[in-house]
Amino acid sequence: WKGKRERAAIIERTSRGKWAKAKSGKWVGTGFAPFGYRTEGKQESARLAICEAEARVVRQIFADYTRGDDTHGPLSLRAIAIELEARSEPTPNHRRNAAGHWIPATLRGILTNEIYAGRTYYGKTRVVRTSGGKKRRVKQPPESQIPLDVPELAIVDRPTFEAALARAERNKELSPRNRQHE
């Protein structure tokens, strides 16, 4: 019983410390760095930095999706994945079950992640226990998240990010599996 209380107290203190760090405008390292970035330093001094080799790939993904090439115009997520595979570009493979190749879902995740335009959030998800005792991540409402402006971490400019986000939303609306009526 004593061990459970001490564990709960440690979790509570850790959580409060992370919230305080986020409130002060500092990046809180929770998990792996997004593709295009690397973590430098340890614990309190840990910070995110741009990994230029991966950032070059991210810039190309945004350019292909928003502008495309001279002959075809903006490329689809699948076409970008095929291009990246043809060029043997490294994939975001930090997860245990990561795909060893580029897939459209990974590209959509990159194109809709606001950190690439210099803003991130702390508290996007929270771990809760289900009725069966398992843990599950639950998305939190935007008003409970802490926005962190990190312009030094911007890989693409805001207009490019907004254009990619608008195209992704439009594609989502027009998707055949998303249509209820013709």
Side-chain angles (χ1 to χ4, degrees):
W1 172 253
K2 184 180 177 186
K4 277 188 173 182
R5 278 190 296 175
E6 183 58 27
R7 179 175 160 77
I10 290 169
I11 290 170
E12 176 62 29
R13 286 193 303 269
T14 303
S15 180
R16 274 197 317 250
K18 287 180 177 181
W19 276 98
K21 187 175 179 182
K23 283 275 190 197
S24 70
K26 295 179 182 170
W27 177 75
V28 181
T30 55
F32 295 100
F35 185 73
Y37 300 96
R38 67 180 182 282
T39 307
E40 293 180 343
K42 299 276 184 199
Q43 296 175 344
E44 296 87 27
S45 65
R47 65 184 196 86
L48 212 53
I50 294 175
C51 172
E52 199 48 53
E54 292 177 357
R56 178 186 51 78
V57 175
V58 170
R59 285 185 200 100
Q60 188 62 53
I61 291 168
F62 274 91
D64 287 346
Y65 193 67
T66 57
R67 292 187 305 273
D69 57 20
D70 296 332
T71 57
H72 300 100
L75 301 177
S76 69
L77 295 177
R78 186 168 307 283
I80 295 170
I82 291 168
E83 281 290 316
L84 293 170
E85 284 293 316
R87 293 195 311 254
S88 300
E89 295 291 356
T91 60
N93 58 1
H94 56 267
R95 290 200 173 109
R96 186 179 36 175
N97 60 348
H101 56 279
W102 286 97
I103 57 175
T106 301
L107 295 171
R108 190 177 198 305
I110 289 172
L111 290 164
T112 58
N113 190 341
E114 205 170 352
I115 188 135
Y116 296 109
R119 174 174 267 195
T120 188
Y121 297 87
Y122 179 73
K124 287 196 269 190
T125 62
R126 189 168 60 102
V127 177
V128 296
R129 284 198 185 275
T130 62
S131 57
K134 294 193 176 204
K135 293 180 181 177
R136 189 169 75 96
R137 285 199 174 278
V138 177
K139 287 186 178 183
Q140 296 299 298
E143 58 272 5
S144 71
Q145 301 173 17
I146 300 173
L148 301 169
D149 287 319
V150 283
E152 68 277 6
L153 295 178
I155 292 178
V156 297
D157 59 11
R158 179 56 66 173
T160 302
F161 175 76
E162 295 293 336
L165 199 59
R167 180 161 183 230
E169 283 302 311
R170 176 94 171 118
N171 288 349
K172 187 175 165 184
E173 288 172 11
L174 296 177
S175 173
R177 69 179 171 274
N178 199 27
R179 289 193 184 167
Q180 292 181 0
H181 307 288
E182 284 301 317

